[in-house]
Amino acid sequence: QVQLVESGGGLVQPGGSLRLSCAASRSIFSINVMGWYRQAPGKQRELVADITNDEATNYADSVKGRFTISRDNAKNTVYLEMNSLKPEDTAIYYCNAAVITLLSGLNIYWGQGTQVTVSS
């Protein structure tokens, strides 16, 4: 079982920056993939970025060059640095963890979400 707690969301002007944090209840070294998803009103939840336990990263085309995902294993935390924010980045951002175990197979965990609003 993994509990995920997001923080860092808020209101920011276009062109501004935010850093989101996701604290996990256990060592993220044992979590195969951690990622950030977002969901805007009336839209499907979509992948923003993810990072594997061997540091491979993946980004949605819409955020490439603007967002950076990273991990701090000592703090059991994954971050999403968001720069050059646009109004279309407005959404609830969710932390996600995927854990594969021999006993139970694939298990997916979600945080409660944190609101990011980009507006002047």
Side-chain angles (χ1 to χ4, degrees), residues 38-49:
R38 67 186 182 187
Q39 187 166 21
K43 303 292 185 180
Q44 295 181 332
R45 187 174 298 188
E46 64 177 356
L47 173 69
V48 177

Side-chain angles (χ1 to χ4, degrees), residues 6-10 20-21 36 91-95 112-116:
E6 302 101 329
S7 62
L20 305 183
S21 299
W36 289 95
I92 301 174
Y93 284 70
Y94 297 91
C95 186
Q112 80 286 349
T114 185
Q115 177 71 46
V116 172

Side-chain angles (χ1 to χ4, degrees), residues 57-75:
T57 58
N58 180 55
Y59 297 92
D61 288 341
S62 60
V63 306
K64 286 180 179 177
R66 300 189 297 122
F67 291 10
T68 302
I69 190 169
S70 62
R71 306 190 325 187
D72 186 336
N73 291 338
K75 296 181 178 180

Side-chain angles (χ1 to χ4, degrees), residues 30-107:
S30 65
I31 301 175
N32 298 89
V33 183
M34 296 194 70
W36 289 95
Y37 290 70
R38 67 186 182 187
Q39 187 166 21
K43 303 292 185 180
Q44 295 181 332
R45 187 174 298 188
E46 64 177 356
L47 173 69
V48 177
D50 59 29
I51 184 167
T52 69
N53 56 11
D54 64 352
E55 305 294 335
T57 58
N58 180 55
Y59 297 92
D61 288 341
S62 60
V63 306
K64 286 180 179 177
R66 300 189 297 122
F67 291 10
T68 302
I69 190 169
S70 62
R71 306 190 325 187
D72 186 336
N73 291 338
K75 296 181 178 180
N76 294 342
T77 300
V78 64
Y79 302 97
L80 184 68
E81 180 71 33
M82 304 185 294
N83 299 310
S84 302
L85 282 162
K86 305 174 181 179
E88 52 262 44
D89 296 319
T90 296
I92 301 174
Y93 284 70
Y94 297 91
C95 186
N96 167 271
V99 182
I100 301 173
T101 67
L102 184 63
L103 180 62
S104 60
L106 177 64
N107 292 277

